[in-house]
Amino acid sequence: MSEDHTHVQEFFGSRAADWDRKFPADGPAFATAVGEFGLRPGDRVLDAGCGTGRALTALRTAVGPSGTVLGADLTPQMLAAARQAGREAEGVLLLADVARLPLRDAVLDAVFAAGLIAHLPDPGSNLRELARVVRPGGRLALFHPIGRAALAARHGRELTPDDLRAEHNLGPLLSASGWEMTSYADEDHRFLVLATHRP
């Protein structure tokens, strides 16, 4: 993706209305990933780059009525689709750039990010921004409902060693950004990396 936010907004904005219909089978994968994330009742969690809010229901279930769920996205059309799907009832939706979140330091317990990492203009700096808003010991989940190889095949390309999401690239990137990778799963049916914010 381009560093130009207008391009990102145009790309996703033109696809927002049909996004959920295009990927109808992803719901269980989101729920499973959130289940593995280890959220607790009362936690404060951000869905970074929430899109149409497909993770919000699972996140709300995990943190319960006493928890806080936020969904932030750069694209107004994606947030409109989330509202149309009734997902605003599960959390507060913010029109915001995850590179500059309108949140205080250490205010969150966790960040869930589905499909986000490949679209970050400056991954190191952007991951540091996510670390800024998470308390020490808090958690990060980088998720995609299909693995790297399956996603590459969907887009008609081959995986290369410089793929940002490859374990040998992502681990050091997370470490340099204030996170410690605690698990890495890259399978046909899901990509899920969990990390902890280092004190």
Side-chain angles (χ1 to χ4, degrees):
M1 276 294 144
S2 167
E3 293 186 27
D4 178 6
H5 287 164
T6 302
H7 176 74
V8 173
Q9 288 174 320
E10 287 174 355
F11 179 88
F12 286 104
S14 65
R15 293 162 172 79
D18 294 322
W19 194 262
D20 287 356
R21 284 193 293 274
K22 188 174 180 183
F23 305 108
D26 286 351
F30 274 81
T32 298
V34 170
E36 292 183 36
F37 194 16
L39 295 170
R40 295 167 298 199
D43 275 354
R44 299 156 297 173
V45 60
L46 168 69
D47 184 357
C50 67
T52 62
R54 293 182 294 170
L56 295 179
T57 299
L59 292 171
R60 170 56 65 196
T61 298
V63 304
S66 63
T68 299
V69 176
L70 305 174
D73 202 274
L74 187 64
T75 306
Q77 297 93 325
M78 283 288 191
L79 295 178
R83 291 186 184 96
Q84 188 171 7
R87 294 173 181 142
E88 191 175 27
E90 309 296 351
V92 177
L93 298 178
L94 305 172
L95 179 63
D97 182 356
V98 299
R100 290 182 299 278
L101 289 164
L103 299 172
R104 298 190 313 272
D105 293 357
V107 72
L108 300 174
D109 297 296
V111 172
F112 184 86
L116 179 70
I117 188 79
H119 302 293
L120 295 176
D122 183 351
S125 174
N126 302 153
L127 288 168
R128 281 191 294 278
E129 172 66 358
L130 295 181
R132 179 188 69 79
V133 300
V134 173
R135 64 170 174 78
R139 296 174 307 286
L140 170 70
L142 301 176
F143 169 70
H144 199 283
I146 60 175
R148 292 166 55 238
L151 185 62
R154 176 186 286 176
H155 294 296
R157 59 177 177 78
E158 293 185 7
L159 286 177
T160 60
D162 63 349
D163 184 341
L164 180 65
R165 290 163 294 184
E167 187 172 7
H168 64 268
N169 294 325
L170 189 54
L173 176 64
L174 286 166
S175 182
S177 305
W179 300 96
E180 180 180 352
M181 188 163 66
T182 57
S183 69
Y184 181 94
D186 180 17
E187 303 155 354
D188 282 348
H189 64 282
R190 60 121 183 223
F191 175 87
L192 180 62
V193 173
L194 302 180
T196 300
H197 183 202
R198 291 196 310 270

